[in-house]
């Protein structure tokens, strides 16, 4: 049994919950497009292709039940983005939520940023559990009383009411991106954030919506000379002047905003030399980085390309310190994957709270975890069959050739429509959220 | 040979993807299209390097015949409509106009008119070497703003292209003029069929939607074959930036052929330009 990934040898992943419709017919709007825990892990937000955001809140831990932590229940649902039409370019703007990023909590309310292809919104999620009652300004039927007939001043009293969670858009950051926004990242100063599209990165102040600073612009003067685009960007978790962005060519640039107003010249350039023996028509596509994430420590960063995950030490630019193969067996299938567009799938990756393990998704509703210390890896599946409460997840294995053993699945049997692109790891505990098309699976550890 | 078949197949698939991307919701995805165009370029290099390594030793006329063979085989795969066929066969007047797909993309992604279409001008000027300019050139050119931007650029490139065309450099190059001619003809034919319907199609806010609808109907056949021949040129931008890389990969004769041809002729780079 390949246990032990994520912390300790007695470690087992167990099913906890699944959210979403069971129906085989998946409505496109219900497809989850982003998953994100907040800083404490108490809240879990998902965005979908229909432009909706659903926030789950963790229950307080119950003392009676066997060692399992609180469950996540729906806390708030709201429509973040609507489809829009750009009349000038005759283009429809999708309402799909590309990214959600939480702001650190500073008062009773919670704030998050959500973005579609063109517009970023700051949402305030607040609770209301009291209502003012006792006004004597209206009649029973609701009409305003004649002021002359009011002879006493009655101060309303706050009475408890059923909890209502309200989401309201506090800021709308629009019209700053010509191309499709692929990333947003809150800066560690908690005052600014960056947004990145295919060719540009902008720096915003959370309070100011009518302007932003352009800090990276890789648009060539002659668009015919375009050879690479920005695929992801992130702020450093501690140094508010540092950010990174990845490109479609498999490179990562680290920039320091202190160096210049326009960070077109990188401070560090991370690239691994290509292995010439593995060159094919599709080498360029599979080297395109789909996600970049700093470790919590800020010392490392992780990049995801089509077939692998790489961990980079920020102090070493010429190659990654660790490389993990996610589904190397797909390398011989690249042509088919190109035909069915799967080769363009953008997988994300995430760190656990202690940076000792990393996780990323694959096909057939498989997801992979790698323990950086023990070098062990595990493949698990998010499926309804393994959905009994607290059921242990059995490791899965893909048969790459030769005789297929029992319980293995052959590469040709993999369902490429069932892809896990978005996963999230609780910032402090071993609880993970895995988005499988329109379902959200929550798994947690069970310590023996 | 298997490699060549595979390369051809990948080229067809790539063209289909680029075409489909225009009608996808949310607008054209720059990243995906860039990747597809890179695959297309790689496939095309392999395809052509196979072709030219054998063909460079043959006579020019023979090559021309081969060229048509290739076009015909592609046409077999995607049988064109009758009108397309007729137009392709007859000599076409040059038009200074972009690819319909590219022009749509350009409309959809234009910002501040800052795209430069110097290579596209190269293409038209190439053809002008060999045929009389047609008054329709001006009429089409006048319809939309980007065309007028291009016109001033045409004259300088005229001379430079003329020089390149007239200097016989390598075996591969000598047959380029006829190949150019052939390619451009078919491109023009696609151009004409599309643009003939209404000059208003060139305007910005336009009927890109209606155009797409109409193209959607014909898509599977004639347009794809035209796209393939259109791709007989193109990607000058991508090659020029990555000149070190492709040179390492392709064999010399094939490389020279590819490079020269690809640098001279454009139309598809306007697809990228459109972004």
């Amino acid at each position: 049994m390949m246990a032990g990934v994520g912390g300790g040898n007695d470690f087992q992943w167990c099913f906890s919950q699944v959210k979403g419709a069971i129906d085989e017919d998946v409505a496109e709007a219900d497809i989850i497009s982003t998953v994100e825990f907040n800083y404490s892990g108490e809240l879990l937000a998902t965005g979908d292709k229909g432009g909706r955001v659903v926030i789950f809140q963790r229950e307080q831990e119950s003392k009676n039940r066997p060692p399992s932590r609180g469950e996540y229940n729906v806390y708030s649902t709201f429509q973040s983005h609507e489809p829009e039409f750009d009349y000038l370019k005759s283009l429809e703007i999708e309402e799909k939520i590309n990214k959600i990023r939480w702001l650190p909590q500073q008062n009773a309310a919670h704030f998050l940023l959500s973005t579609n292809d063109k517009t970023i919104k700051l949402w305030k999620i607040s609770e209301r559990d009291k209502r003012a009652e006792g006004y004597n300004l209206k009649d029973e039927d609701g009409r305003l009383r004649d002021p002359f007939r009011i002879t006493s001043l009655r101060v309303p009293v706050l009475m408890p009411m059923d909890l209502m969670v309200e989401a309201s858009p506090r800021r709308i950051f629009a019209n700053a991106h010509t191309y499709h926004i692929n990333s947003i990242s809150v800066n560690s100063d908690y005052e600014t954030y960056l947004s990145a599209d295919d060719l540009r990165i902008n720096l915003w102040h959370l309070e100011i919506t009518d302007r932003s600073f352009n800090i990276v612009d890789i648009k060539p003067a002659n668009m015919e000379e375009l050879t690479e685009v920005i695929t992801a960007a992130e702020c450093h978790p501690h140094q508010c002047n540092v950010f990174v962005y990845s490109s479609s060519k498999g490179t990562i640039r680290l920039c320091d905003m202190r160096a210049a107003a326009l960070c077109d010249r990188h401070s560090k350039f991370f690239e691994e030399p290509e292995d010439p023996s593995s060159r094919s028509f599709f080498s360029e596509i599979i080297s395109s980085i789909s996600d970049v994430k700093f470790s919590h420590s800020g010392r490392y960063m992780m990049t995801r390309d089509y077939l692998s995950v790489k961990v980079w030490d920020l102090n070493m630019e010429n190659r990654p310190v660790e490389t993990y193969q996610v589904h190397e067996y797909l390398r011989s299938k690249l042509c088919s994957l190109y035909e069915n567009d799967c080769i363009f799938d953008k997988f994300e990756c995430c760190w656990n709270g202690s940076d000792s393990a990393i996780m990323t998704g694959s096909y057939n509703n498989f997801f992979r975890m790698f323990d950086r210390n023990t070098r062990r890896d595990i493949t698990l599946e998010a499926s309804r069959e393994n959905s009994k409460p607290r059921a242990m997840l059995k490791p899965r294995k893909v048969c790459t050739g030769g005789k297929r053993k029992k319980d293995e699945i052959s590469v040709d049997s993999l369902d490429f429509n069932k892809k896990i692109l978005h996963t999230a790891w609780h910032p402090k505990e071993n609880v993970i959220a895995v988005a499988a098309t329109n379902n959200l699976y929550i798994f947690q550890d069970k310590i023996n | 040979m298997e490699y060549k078949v595979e390369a051809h197949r990948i080229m067809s698939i790539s063209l289909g993807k680029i075409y489909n991307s225009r009608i996808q919701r949310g607008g054209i995805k720059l990243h995906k299209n860039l990747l597809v165009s890179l695959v297309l370029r790689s496939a095309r290099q392999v395809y052509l390097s196979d072709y030219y390594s054998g063909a460079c030793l043959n006579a020019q006329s023979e090559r021309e015949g081969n060229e048509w063979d290739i076009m015909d085989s592609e046409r077999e795969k995607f049988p064109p409509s009758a009108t397309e066929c007729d137009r392709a066969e007859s000599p076409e007047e040059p038009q200074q106009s972009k690819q319909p797909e590219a022009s749509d993309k350009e409309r959809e992604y234009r910002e501040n008119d800052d795209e430069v279409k110097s290579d596209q001008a190269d293409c038209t000027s190439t053809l002008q070497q060999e045929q009389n300019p047609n008054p329709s050139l001006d009429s089409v050119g006048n319809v939309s703003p980007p065309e007028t931007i291009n016109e001033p650029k045409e004259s300088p490139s005229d001379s430079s292209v003329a020089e390149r065309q007239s200097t016989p450099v390598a075996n591969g190059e000598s047959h380029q003029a006829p190949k150019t001619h052939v390619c451009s003809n078919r491109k023009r034919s696609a151009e004409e069929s599309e643009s003939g319907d209404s000059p208003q199609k060139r305007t910005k806010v336009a009927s890109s939607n209606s155009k797409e609808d109409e193209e959607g109907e014909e898509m599977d056949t004639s347009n794809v074959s035209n796209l393939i021949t259109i791709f007989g040129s193109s990607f000058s931008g991508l090659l020029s930036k990555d000149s070190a890389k492709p040179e390492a990969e392709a064999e010399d004769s094939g490389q020279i052929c590819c490079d020269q041809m690809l640098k001279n002729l454009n139309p598809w780079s306007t697809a990228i330009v459109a972004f």
Side-chain angles (χ1 to χ4, degrees):
Chain A
M1 268 293 198
M2 290 287 275
V5 174
N9 282 329
D10 294 334
F11 195 81
Q12 295 281 359
W13 284 103
C14 305
F15 171 84
S16 175
Q17 298 170 268
V18 58
K19 308 283 189 194
I22 306 176
D23 201 13
E24 279 293 314
D25 244 345
V26 178
E28 171 120 3
D30 292 337
I31 296 174
I32 298 170
S33 50
T34 184
V35 184
E36 188 80 359
F37 279 100
N38 74 338
Y39 283 75
S40 63
E42 182 209 354
L43 298 177
L44 174 61
T46 62
D48 63 25
K49 279 193 169 183
R52 291 164 303 202
V53 171
V54 180
I55 301 177
F56 302 92
Q57 184 190 41
R58 201 181 205 186
E59 274 175 12
Q60 297 303 317
E61 281 185 30
S62 66
K63 311 288 186 223
N64 344 334
R65 297 223 321 237
S68 74
R69 299 175 180 83
E71 286 197 339
Y72 284 86
N73 298 318
V74 177
Y75 179 64
S76 172
T77 306
F78 56 93
Q79 186 76 32
S80 171
H81 287 73
E82 299 271 6
E84 287 172 55
F85 198 79
D86 180 338
Y87 295 98
L88 190 62
K89 297 173 187 168
S90 295
L91 276 187
E92 193 179 2
I93 300 170
E94 275 190 284
E95 67 278 27
K96 172 170 79 96
I97 307 294
N98 291 337
K99 285 285 177 341
I100 289 175
R101 290 287 182 265
W102 289 94
L103 265 58
Q105 191 175 10
Q106 288 171 325
N107 53 36
H110 298 277
F111 287 85
L112 60 79
L113 288 168
S114 70
T115 185
N116 69 348
D117 284 339
K118 297 286 184 182
T119 305
I120 305 138
K121 296 187 184 181
L122 175 68
W123 288 90
K124 175 181 177 184
I125 297 104
S126 50
E127 293 182 5
R128 186 194 290 269
D129 62 355
K130 294 180 192 47
R131 168 173 53 216
E133 285 178 15
Y135 289 99
N136 64 340
L137 301 173
K138 288 186 185 169
D139 287 338
E140 286 84 18
D141 51 7
R143 277 183 308 175
L144 282 172
R145 286 171 67 183
D146 186 1
F148 291 110
R149 301 200 26 232
I150 302 172
T151 55
S152 63
L153 177 69
R154 199 189 313 170
V155 178
V157 177
L158 289 174
M159 301 296 290
M161 61 178 258
D162 289 339
L163 179 66
M164 200 165 71
V165 181
E166 296 172 325
S168 57
R170 305 301 290 179
R171 305 273 185 279
I172 298 184
F173 306 91
N175 301 322
H177 285 281
T178 309
Y179 304 96
H180 293 143
I181 297 175
N182 52 54
S183 313
I184 48 173
S185 179
V186 181
N187 208 347
S188 52
D189 61 9
Y190 302 155
E191 282 188 357
T192 58
Y193 74 95
L194 62 75
S195 60
D197 67 27
D198 292 319
L199 297 178
R200 297 193 177 98
I201 302 181
N202 293 333
L203 183 72
W204 301 83
H205 192 283
L206 284 164
E207 299 290 328
I208 299 169
T209 58
D210 62 353
R211 74 198 77 172
S212 67
F213 288 105
N214 174 242
I215 52 177
V216 172
D217 187 342
I218 64 167
K219 181 169 193 262
N222 181 355
M223 276 298 272
E224 290 176 5
E225 292 167 18
L226 180 72
T227 55
E228 70 181 323
V229 298
I230 297 169
T231 53
E234 199 180 44
C235 291
H236 192 279
H238 310 306
Q239 298 169 32
C240 58
N241 51 294
V242 171
F243 67 94
V244 292
Y245 67 93
S246 59
S247 84
S248 54
K249 275 191 172 174
T251 64
I252 309 103
R253 289 170 176 80
L254 183 143
C255 300
D256 187 333
M257 289 190 267
R258 297 171 301 188
L262 189 60
C263 300
D264 277 357
R265 296 183 55 186
H266 51 262
S267 299
K268 293 196 188 204
F269 182 74
F270 299 84
E271 184 178 31
E272 183 173 28
E274 191 194 349
D275 175 13
S277 64
S278 63
R279 198 143 168 78
S280 74
F281 286 126
F282 310 106
S283 301
E284 279 140 334
I285 300 189
I286 63 170
S287 66
S288 175
I289 291 174
S290 52
D291 193 17
V292 64
K293 290 264 172 43
F294 278 106
S295 64
H296 292 91
S297 63
R299 170 137 183 232
Y300 299 96
M301 66 178 176
M302 163 167 60
T303 58
R304 175 71 156 97
D305 51 73
Y306 190 65
L307 296 180
S308 68
V309 187
K310 296 178 182 173
V311 175
W312 303 77
D313 185 322
L314 293 190
N315 298 317
M316 187 161 80
E317 297 170 54
N318 60 347
R319 61 177 176 80
V321 289
E322 295 153 31
T323 301
Y324 302 95
Q325 299 301 333
V326 181
H327 36 219
E328 182 70 12
Y329 47 79
L330 295 183
R331 193 180 285 273
S332 54
K333 311 272 178 205
L334 293 180
C335 196
S336 316
L337 294 166
Y338 179 70
E339 275 184 83
N340 64 16
D341 270 0
C342 283
I343 207 173
F344 301 105
D345 287 335
K346 295 191 183 169
F347 291 95
E348 292 174 7
C349 51
C350 59
W351 298 85
N352 71 343
S354 59
D355 298 336
S356 64
I358 57 184
M359 170 168 63
T360 189
S362 180
Y363 293 103
N364 209 69
N365 277 355
F366 288 171
F367 56 100
R368 303 261 283 139
M369 286 187 197
F370 304 93
D371 188 313
R372 296 178 64 214
N373 299 326
T374 63
R375 291 305 171 124
R376 286 207 285 213
D377 63 275
I378 192 170
T379 304
L380 298 171
E381 184 181 1
S383 76
R384 290 273 176 178
E385 283 79 44
N386 305 339
S387 302
K388 297 183 194 43
R390 293 187 297 284
M392 275 190 341
L393 292 184
K394 210 171 68 154
R396 305 298 311 234
K397 194 139 165 54
V398 176
C399 164
T400 52
K403 218 159 158 356
R404 186 176 76 87
K405 299 193 189 72
K406 189 174 94 89
D407 285 349
E408 282 186 358
I409 182 166
S410 71
V411 181
D412 298 313
S413 312
L414 294 174
D415 188 343
F416 289 94
N417 291 319
K418 293 189 180 167
K419 49 193 90 170
I420 292 181
L421 304 173
H422 312 286
T423 59
W425 205 313
H426 190 288
K428 299 186 176 70
E429 298 173 19
N430 281 321
V431 177
I432 54 176
V434 172
T437 318
N438 62 333
N439 289 152
L440 182 72
Y441 287 82
I442 298 173
F443 303 106
Q444 56 189 31
D445 66 345
K446 174 185 166 179
I447 298 164
N448 292 330
Chain B
M1 276 314 276
E2 284 165 10
Y3 226 85
K4 184 175 166 185
V5 168
E6 179 72 0
H8 184 269
R9 193 171 83 89
I10 289 174
M11 280 167 62
S12 314
I13 294 168
S14 305
L15 288 169
K17 286 189 195 300
I18 292 179
Y19 188 92
N20 282 330
S21 75
R22 301 177 53 236
I23 49 180
Q24 259 168 17
R25 232 188 130 217
I28 299 171
K29 311 243 181 303
L30 179 61
H31 182 202
K32 181 176 175 184
N33 278 269
L34 180 67
L35 294 177
V36 170
S37 65
L38 291 174
V39 170
L40 183 58
R41 183 198 63 171
S42 305
R44 190 168 175 277
Q45 280 181 339
V46 167
Y47 185 78
L48 288 175
S49 66
D50 275 357
Y51 173 68
Y52 282 116
S53 55
C56 283
L57 303 170
N58 297 339
Q60 177 173 333
S61 54
E62 217 175 318
R63 249 176 261 121
E64 222 178 314
N66 289 344
E67 183 57 43
W68 277 108
D69 285 344
I70 290 167
M71 301 307 176
D72 286 343
S73 67
E74 286 165 354
R75 270 202 287 170
E76 276 158 29
K77 227 183 166 180
F78 302 98
S81 63
T83 48
E84 296 289 334
C85 228
D86 294 340
R87 286 201 176 125
E89 300 304 338
S90 58
E92 289 300 332
E93 313 87 5
Q95 299 175 24
Q96 188 204 352
S97 51
K98 298 177 285 294
Q99 287 311 307
E101 293 79 10
S103 62
D104 278 350
K105 282 189 188 180
E106 190 170 309
R107 258 182 273 121
E108 289 156 36
Y109 258 89
R110 174 153 329 120
E111 49 159 17
N112 304 322
D113 294 336
D114 50 359
E115 281 86 6
V116 174
K117 296 161 204 56
S118 52
D119 283 353
Q120 180 246 326
D122 284 349
C123 194
T124 44
S125 53
T126 303
L127 204 55
Q128 281 174 336
Q129 308 293 320
E130 300 156 35
Q131 288 180 339
N132 299 325
N134 183 292
S136 69
L137 178 145
D138 292 330
S139 62
V140 173
N142 284 337
V143 169
S144 79
E147 315 258 9
T148 55
I149 291 171
N150 287 328
E151 284 181 74
K153 291 202 163 53
E154 202 183 344
S155 22
S157 11
D158 258 350
S159 44
S160 60
V161 168
E163 279 168 356
R164 271 186 279 166
Q165 286 295 335
S166 58
T167 341
V169 175
N171 285 340
E173 267 214 277
S174 54
H175 65 274
Q176 280 182 34
K179 183 164 169 54
T180 305
H181 179 91
V182 163
C183 284
S184 304
N185 270 344
R186 290 183 68 102
K187 171 185 79 81
R188 299 296 182 259
S189 71
E191 230 11 66
E192 208 175 73
S193 65
E194 241 94 60
S195 63
D197 297 330
S198 153
Q200 272 136 15
K201 287 192 174 161
R202 298 279 172 230
T203 57
K204 263 196 209 189
V205 176
S207 40
S208 59
N209 289 334
S210 60
K211 199 157 187 281
E212 284 158 354
D213 289 344
E214 150 209 323
E215 277 172 343
E217 290 152 28
E218 315 165 27
M219 178 275 197
D220 300 299
T221 57
S222 53
N223 284 341
V224 181
S225 67
N226 287 325
L227 285 173
I228 292 175
T229 57
I230 286 156
F231 265 104
S233 33
S234 124
F235 287 122
S236 53
L238 290 170
L239 262 192
S240 56
K241 263 285 164 113
D242 281 359
S243 53
K245 221 163 123 182
E247 260 140 29
E249 296 159 15
E251 32 171 344
D252 286 352
S253 60
Q255 182 53 35
I256 293 167
C257 302
C258 293
D259 263 347
Q260 285 302 332
M261 187 167 25
L262 290 164
K263 277 172 191 150
N264 287 345
L265 301 172
N266 148 45
W268 217 209
S269 65
T270 55
I272 302 299
V273 167
F275 292 116

